[in-house]
Amino acid sequence: MTSMARGTARRGPIARLLRSPEALRGAVVLIAGTVVALIWANLPGDGYESVWHLPLGLDLAGSRFELDLRHWVNDAVMAVFFAHVTLEVRRELELGELRDWRRASVPVIAAVAGLVVPALIYVRATWGTDAVGGWGIVVSTDTAFVLGMLALIGRGMPAQLRIFLVTLAVADDVGALGVIAFAYTDRFSPLPLLIAVGGLAVIAVMRFLGVWRGALYLLPSIVVWAGFFLSGVHATLAGVAIAVLLPIFPTRFDALRRAQDHVRAFQMSPTAGYARTAGDSLARAVSINERAHRALAPYITWLVLPIFALANAGVTVTRESLADAFTSRLTWGIIAGLVVGKIVAISVSTWIVTRVRPGALGPAVRMSHVVGVSMLAGMGFTISLFVTDLAFDDAVDVSRGQIGVIAATVLAAALGAVAFAVMSARERRRSPHRDRLVRTLDPSRDPVLGDPASAAVTVVEYGNYATPYSPAAGEMRREMEGRFGGEVVYTFRHLPLDQPLGRSAAIANEAAALQGRFWEMRDELIREAPIEDERQIRRAAAGAGLNLRRFERDWSDATGVQRVDEDLADAEAMHLHRAPTYFIDNVRYDGSIDADSVNTAVAAAFLSRALPSPRPAS
């Protein structure tokens, strides 16, 4: 074995973890922290508890500010976690899935049901006991665990399922933050809260003035945290309040163009001054929300979550503690609320919505997928353990709650793994999405040539303007129109694969559609293909007769990105890896990609329908 091969072999498991999806890395690290905490807490002696009760504080002008190590983790470190969650929530509300209620409504409704039903089940199980106040333990789904499990066991599932799960998790997080804010604040002192409000006002003014350096927001953020902590409102909510105020905006074309100019200047004259100017212009083009979310992500994955697990998952597991927990209504209320409650709430609410609005889930996601996700949603680990510590003062109840949360998380993971294994095996046997179109032609959504009401055959193309095959696709369409006339209805969908300029051209095509010139822009993009420079896209826009100012605005704002993303999700569900790919009467065409071959297949579709051969159009 060569030294390189030996090095690869030695690095194998770590290298694979580092290359794995971020969600999977987070889940693995969180599991590792939990296992270490459980082992540590069950070692002889009281080393675990003594470490986490270690006092740590500051002396300022004779005043002592002190917390034990666990409270520093739960009150300060977790504020960073909640800030990170809120940054993602705001991004989804402003720019992502939650911006479009039509797409977000199903998972949002499922998330609301997933907050209410588990809480009701828990309250019913613990009614008449002191533990009833712990209902907030069962309302939240652990986003890191669930997305990590889906990345591990959900391979081959449609991409739209992850969109459904992310939207569900984000809406669930909003609800969980509200529960913590309003249900678990024991004492309240208004004066320190005024300090927090002052810090938030400073952040708001900085946002208004366009302050773009993220580091400048750090000092007022510390003031906000201190004000929340001293007021009695849980200090982690400071992270929520700060993240809500941080600026967020889509990258605009003019900012991107300035950044490109500065980078080009640095390339021509690589000096420290030009390097700083280029770096600053690139940073200004991206909102603080986006930069902060990306900057915090590795710390959340590798530091915050494992430290939280170490501090809170260390349950002393003995025969007596397990016997006490599993004869406790508190423990079974948590297990029933998280596992049964999430399955019933998410599955039933989604089923009801899809009965009222057929197709609301999208073409690639089925109810079996939703049931699998609802099983995984019972993994309530991080916020559930966090609320357990807030809800109970008695150490016995805290232990019962921790055991219930860990047991529910393990059970939910096992149920979800079995469900997705069964679905994957069924997908492999049937492979229903590989050869048939998952989203049939829809004139209300798709740009069409021909009359869908009278045409005998439908042709759907998934194409990419950044490949050299685009001109051949244009020739195919022209020959098809000349040969079959109105007997064929044709539409184009986007499949830019991993090519950024292909995606940029697809969004430009959708920006042209907003001016009613989709096909004119498509023809011009085909003339320019393969797209290798954004100047080609602008030439195509000019050639298509677009209002260029409006086009630049819509293109830079990615106004039409929703349809592009839907097309990509459908393509992934059908395992499309080649552009163009054609579907003739909803069945994939796998022959040669040239005009004669494709149109011969179209003619064969006429014969299969036992229709008379169409005459050439005059």
Side-chain angles (χ1 to χ4, degrees):
M1 182 183 292
T2 66
S3 60
M4 182 178 295
R6 285 195 300 270
T8 303
R10 284 197 303 270
R11 301 194 303 266
I14 300 299
R16 284 195 295 273
L17 177 61
L18 292 173
R19 289 195 301 267
S20 63
E22 181 182 324
L24 183 55
R25 295 198 301 269
V28 170
V29 173
L30 194 53
I31 290 170
T34 303
V35 171
V36 171
L38 287 170
I39 294 173
W40 185 8
N42 287 277
L43 292 175
D46 62 349
Y48 178 82
E49 287 298 330
S50 63
V51 166
W52 294 110
H53 283 103
L54 183 70
L56 188 64
L58 299 171
D59 276 317
L60 294 174
S63 299
R64 180 72 175 169
F65 182 78
E66 184 177 276
L67 296 171
D68 67 26
L69 193 54
R70 177 174 288 143
H71 279 91
W72 276 113
V73 171
N74 289 349
D75 289 349
V77 175
M78 285 301 286
V80 180
F81 170 78
F82 282 107
H84 187 258
V85 169
T86 307
L87 289 170
E88 182 169 11
V89 170
R90 278 213 64 214
R91 185 176 60 180
E92 293 298 326
L93 285 169
E94 299 275 348
L95 307 174
E97 299 299 325
L98 297 181
R99 180 179 60 173
D100 183 354
W101 173 246
R102 183 179 62 85
R103 301 181 69 193
S105 59
V106 182
V108 168
I109 291 170
V112 172
L115 295 169
V116 175
V117 174
L120 293 176
I121 290 176
Y122 175 89
V123 168
R124 177 66 184 86
T126 59
W127 189 257
T129 72
D130 293 338
V132 71
W135 58 269
I137 297 170
V138 299
V139 302
S140 180
T141 294
D142 191 297
T143 304
F145 258 146
V146 174
L147 290 177
M149 282 294 293
L150 187 66
L152 180 64
I153 65 177
R155 295 174 183 175
M157 294 296 108
Q160 287 172 322
L161 183 62
R162 188 181 187 281
I163 295 173
F164 177 91
L165 180 55
V166 168
T167 308
L168 174 74
V170 167
D172 179 278
D173 287 338
V174 172
L177 295 176
V179 167
I180 292 170
F182 295 106
Y184 294 103
T185 296
D186 295 329
R187 58 181 178 80
F188 177 67
S189 176
L191 186 59
L193 195 60
L194 294 177
I195 299 174
V197 171
L200 292 172
V202 171
I203 293 174
V205 170
M206 293 170 67
R207 173 180 174 172
F208 177 77
L209 295 176
V211 176
W212 58 272
R213 292 188 185 276
L216 296 179
Y217 288 87
L218 184 59
L219 182 58
S221 296
I222 294 173
V223 172
V224 171
W225 179 86
F228 268 83
F229 178 82
L230 295 172
S231 73
V233 177
H234 203 278
T236 52
L237 297 177
V240 177
I242 293 162
V244 165
L245 288 178
L246 290 180
I248 182 170
F249 50 81
T251 300
R252 299 191 62 84
F253 175 75
D254 54 351
L256 185 59
R257 183 166 54 192
R258 282 195 299 271
Q260 289 173 332
D261 291 341
H262 290 140
V263 170
R264 196 173 295 115
F266 171 72
Q267 290 173 330
M268 292 187 293
S269 179
T271 64
Y274 280 125
R276 180 174 180 177
T277 301
D280 288 349
S281 62
L282 287 169
R284 296 182 72 148
V286 181
S287 71
I288 292 177
N289 177 290
E290 295 277 351
R291 285 185 277 133
H293 186 271
R294 185 174 183 82
L296 288 175
Y299 295 100
I300 298 297
T301 298
W302 300 105
L303 188 64
V304 171
L305 289 179
I307 285 179
F308 174 82
L310 277 174
N312 292 276
V315 183
T316 302
V317 180
T318 64
R319 182 178 300 177
E320 292 76 17
S321 67
L322 290 177
D324 173 73
F326 286 106
T327 56
S328 165
R329 290 161 66 182
L330 189 162
T331 302
W332 284 110
I334 291 173
I335 295 172
L338 281 172
V339 179
V340 178
K342 291 290 185 180
I343 293 173
V344 171
I346 295 172
S347 300
V348 172
S349 62
T350 302
W351 182 84
I352 291 172
V353 173
T354 55
R355 297 284 77 77
V356 176
R357 288 175 47 212
L361 277 176
V365 179
R366 300 192 301 276
M367 273 305 304
S368 59
H369 295 138
V370 175
V371 173
V373 164
S374 71
M375 292 177 179
L376 293 179
M379 302 171 69
F381 190 81
T382 303
I383 296 182
S384 294
L385 287 177
F386 183 77
V387 176
T388 299
D389 186 65
L390 296 179
F392 303 123
D393 295 323
D394 183 73
V396 174
D397 283 343
V398 171
S399 176
R400 291 169 178 170
Q402 291 171 327
I403 290 172
V405 169
I406 293 172
T409 299
V410 172
L411 180 58
L415 290 173
V418 171
F420 277 97
V422 171
M423 282 187 283
S424 295
R426 188 177 300 167
E427 293 282 346
R428 286 194 296 271
R429 285 197 304 270
R430 297 188 307 171
S431 297
H433 299 316
R434 292 177 180 267
D435 298 320
R436 297 196 63 83
L437 192 65
V438 298
R439 188 195 298 269
T440 57
L441 186 144
D442 179 1
S444 66
R445 172 191 182 274
D446 295 311
V448 294
L449 293 174
D451 183 3
S454 61
V457 174
T458 62
V459 176
V460 177
E461 176 193 344
Y462 281 82
N464 181 6
Y465 295 117
T467 70
Y469 301 105
S470 286
E475 180 185 352
M476 185 284 302
R477 193 194 90 201
R478 287 190 297 273
E479 183 175 317
M480 183 184 68
E481 290 176 328
R483 183 173 175 184
F484 303 110
E487 297 287 347
V488 173
V489 62
Y490 166 82
T491 191
F492 175 82
R493 293 175 180 172
H494 303 287
L495 183 56
L497 300 174
D498 295 327
Q499 294 153 312
L501 282 171
R503 180 177 176 82
S504 185
I507 295 172
N509 204 170
E510 292 303 315
L514 296 175
Q515 299 187 36
R517 305 189 72 79
F518 179 92
W519 294 108
E520 292 83 353
M521 183 64 170
R522 169 160 166 71
D523 289 340
E524 294 298 327
L525 287 170
I526 286 174
R527 291 189 183 95
E528 296 284 347
I531 301 296
E532 297 174 343
D533 191 292
E534 289 190 348
R535 287 176 295 184
Q536 294 173 273
I537 298 176
R538 293 190 177 89
R539 280 201 302 266
L546 299 178
N547 178 322
L548 295 181
R549 180 175 297 179
R550 179 183 171 190
F551 167 76
E552 290 283 2
R553 184 187 67 241
D554 292 337
W555 183 31
S556 63
D557 289 346
T559 307
V561 74
Q562 176 180 323
R563 183 171 180 270
V564 177
D565 288 342
E566 287 176 348
D567 290 349
L568 277 170
D570 294 344
E572 185 172 341
M574 298 181 291
H575 306 275
L576 304 187
H577 304 294
R578 180 182 71 175
T581 294
Y582 295 97
F583 286 82
I584 301 172
D585 275 351
N586 301 331
V587 178
R588 184 190 299 192
Y589 165 75
D590 286 322
S592 299
I593 302 299
D594 61 81
D596 287 341
S597 299
V598 175
N599 283 299
T600 297
V602 174
F606 281 100
L607 295 175
S608 68
R609 288 171 172 259
L611 292 175
S613 180
R615 286 185 291 221
S618 56

